Amino acid sequence: MEEMEEELKCPVCGSFYREPIILPCSHNLCQACARNILVQTPESESPQSRRASGSGVSDYDYLDLDKMSLYSEADSGYGSYGGFASAPTTPCQKSPNGVRVFPPAMPPPATHLSPALAPVPRNSCITCPQCHRSLILDDRGLRGFPKNRVLEGVIDRYQQSKAAALKCQLCEKAPKEATVMCEQCDVFYCDPCRLRCHPPRGPLAKHRLVPPAQGRVSRRLSPRKVSTCTDHELENHSMYCVQCKMPVCYQCLEEGKHSSHEVKALGAMWKLHKSQLSQALNGLSDRAKEAKEFLVQLRTMVQQIQENSVEFEACLVAQCDALIDALNRRKAQLLARVNKEHEHKLKVVRDQISHCTVKLRQTTGLMEYCLEVIKENDPSGFLQISDALIRRVHLTEDQWGKGTLTPRMTTDFDLSLDNSPLLQSIHQLDFVQMKVQPRNCDALHFQNTKASSPVPATPILQLEECCTHNNSATLSWKQPPLSTVPAEGYILELDDGNGGQFREVYVGKETMCTVDGLHFNSTYNARIKAFNKTGVSQYSKTLVLQTSEVAWFAFDPGSAHSDIIFSNDNLTVTCSSYDDRVVLGKTGFSKGVHYWELTVDRYDNHPDPAFGVARIDVMKDVMLGKDDKAWAITEGGITKGATIGVLLDLNRKTLTFFINDEQQGPIAFENVEGMFFPAVSLNRNVQVSTVPSNVEVTSEAACAQVTLHTGLPVPDFYSSRASIA
């Protein structure tokens, strides 16, 4: 029978049923517990008003007592707790439905009536704590529910079989055996709890204490007393003191305690107060209905906020991931450049080691041969070869001249990553459109603070695709992802490289533009804006661009004569004609100081090649310098293996030439202004290469390659001279 014990316990108090009643849903409740969970409903919801209006009685939604809600979401929106008919029992923490009964602030007045006979507030509502079905009580109150006598008998037989002693209802931990029961409080006490909670003094001294067994029987059989006066237990309340705001009996009036007070009939005041409360509840009912609609809207907003938050977070994560991917790609590109610089430095040093090793071996061999020749005692034979040996020794010594024993490459990496603009952009990364709560909190909706505008949104520069090369800059941009206004075109603006005013360099529909002809070693500021028929957007954030300090270039096949033959990725040129033909470099110069070198690979000393600078429209079928569009060196010391240096100083408007690191006279040309391109004229007898200093040159010819070294710094002696001047 132990498995049956849960069937015999009240779902509210958790104890065995006491005077159980059967609800229309077939579930059971203690009569006292049923009274404890009564809720008063409005007059308009009473059975009489429903019958008068012709509508049927419908169930009420379960009242969320756990949240101490004072309204029902399905009724008119309000309710009130009825008073307790008896002292509440300890709530059951193991109750499967979570029902909790909250005790009143003040102890209820003593009554001799049972819960069934005690008055119940009109229009009371009771909700089943198991199935949550609700119904309104009629005028009979709890007396309208049948008593479950069978369940009482089963409980009695079960308790007799268990011979369980009645336990104290106020012990906090392990309940002790009860010693008495108070008929007025309807509570079982052990001796310590009786002394602590029910002392025999004051109003409690008049309570009747009985043995627990007698109290269990009298709890079921003894009728409850009607409400009586607290001062005169045998007198019922019959009048109402208006000044003291409490019901009184005739004996209170006769003794003079309320003789000078205004008193009225209890029934009349009861009806008056009920009327006043009903009128007050009408306004509260309207507010409760508005609050219900307000809560529905708030719950809808909670769902919308959650959905929008998930969508916005996903978009934000995707955008940040795209930035991280772009940074990783740029990182890979920069690492590739570092590795390329590393390989270049190693190759240059290893080539110099190989070159010096061969030359040293040749020099050592010549020295040993000369020493052996000196040992010879044949004067005539010695004089036959001595002049040649002396010339060879001097020539070999000259080959070990200036620069030969100087490292062509430093061990330092002249690379410095400028990440300050990117860090600044990351710190400035922020939202351009935000949703905020409106000032009017009753509006119950969110507004977008940035209204839709017919002007296109501000374009965003794509930093991962913007770059510079030599004196060219490539910029890329796009519309914001959430932009809804299309742009008809874009306007790209750059300053002059010296912090001057911006000027338009591109107007069109494309989202990428390359600007050529910028100054070397200059800092430019770029910005972009969009436009349509309505107007133009705001400018984007300013992007700082740094052009190269030195120029890296090759020969330009597009502007060269058709007899020029290119090889080694346009770094080496030869000529198929015996007449002179002109070829230009790809990069033009209009500002700054620039220096490059050329070395002759193959040359039979006729006719002379020419090296220098030229305009873009120079004649391509005559020797360089024969017209007024070119400035060149054409003779004097140019031999096979010679290195020609060209120094173009557009700041001082001069052109200077060097052969084998020796300046050829004073300044060759002055008043050089405009745009100039590196230029060479050669014929079939000459082979020239223009190879950047970090590129290996290969050739099928057996002779040494003629290499044009670009990206070279200005010679130190010229820089010192220019600073002194």
Side-chain angles (χ1 to χ4, degrees), residues 309-477:
S309 175
V310 171
E311 180 180 358
F312 189 78
E313 287 180 4
C315 181
L316 178 61
V317 170
Q319 290 177 327
C320 291
D321 289 343
L323 293 177
I324 295 174
D325 292 341
L327 183 59
N328 288 331
R329 290 195 300 270
R330 188 58 179 168
K331 173 185 175 182
Q333 295 173 358
L334 295 176
L335 288 176
R337 288 182 57 184
V338 173
N339 293 333
K340 186 176 181 181
E341 181 70 13
H342 168 253
E343 295 297 332
H344 166 62
K345 287 180 177 290
L346 291 179
K347 182 184 181 304
V348 171
V349 174
R350 287 168 180 170
D351 288 347
Q352 191 172 14
I353 291 174
S354 176
H355 177 71
C356 289
T357 301
V358 173
K359 185 176 290 189
L360 180 60
R361 184 170 59 250
Q362 294 173 351
T363 302
T364 304
L366 178 60
M367 291 173 58
E368 292 177 353
Y369 174 66
C370 291
L371 291 176
E372 293 299 326
V373 170
I374 293 174
K375 294 178 183 180
E376 292 294 328
N377 297 324
D378 185 4
S380 61
F382 179 82
L383 292 175
Q384 287 178 348
I385 63 174
S386 60
D387 290 338
L389 287 177
I390 291 172
R391 286 195 302 270
R392 286 186 62 188
V393 170
H394 286 307
L395 180 60
T396 303
E397 183 181 3
D398 292 340
Q399 291 178 353
W400 289 101
K402 180 180 178 182
T404 306
L405 299 179
T406 302
R408 298 178 183 175
M409 187 61 62
T410 63
T411 58
D412 297 331
F413 282 77
D414 298 330
L415 299 174
S416 178
L417 182 62
D418 183 13
N419 60 353
S420 55
L422 179 58
L423 291 177
Q424 182 179 4
S425 299
I426 292 176
H427 291 313
Q428 293 176 350
L429 189 64
D430 202 349
F431 301 106
V432 295
Q433 290 182 343
M434 302 270 308
K435 289 184 176 181
V436 298
Q437 187 175 4
R439 293 182 182 273
N440 184 7
C441 296
D442 295 334
L444 297 179
H445 67 277
F446 286 101
Q447 297 177 347
N448 194 336
T449 58
K450 187 172 183 180
S452 299
S453 172
V455 177
T458 303
I460 300 175
L461 286 167
Q462 301 190 84
L463 301 181
E464 65 275 10
E465 298 183 11
C466 298
C467 61
T468 59
H469 176 70
N470 278 344
N471 61 338
S472 299
T474 299
L475 296 98
S476 177
W477 58 88

Side-chain angles (χ1 to χ4, degrees), residues 26 127 255 263 281 336 411 437 467 485 498 568 572 590 643 665 669:
S26 301
T127 300
E255 292 178 355
V263 295
L281 288 178
T411 58
Q437 187 175 4
C467 61
V485 181
N498 291 321
N568 289 334
T572 300
S590 60
T643 300
F669 299 97

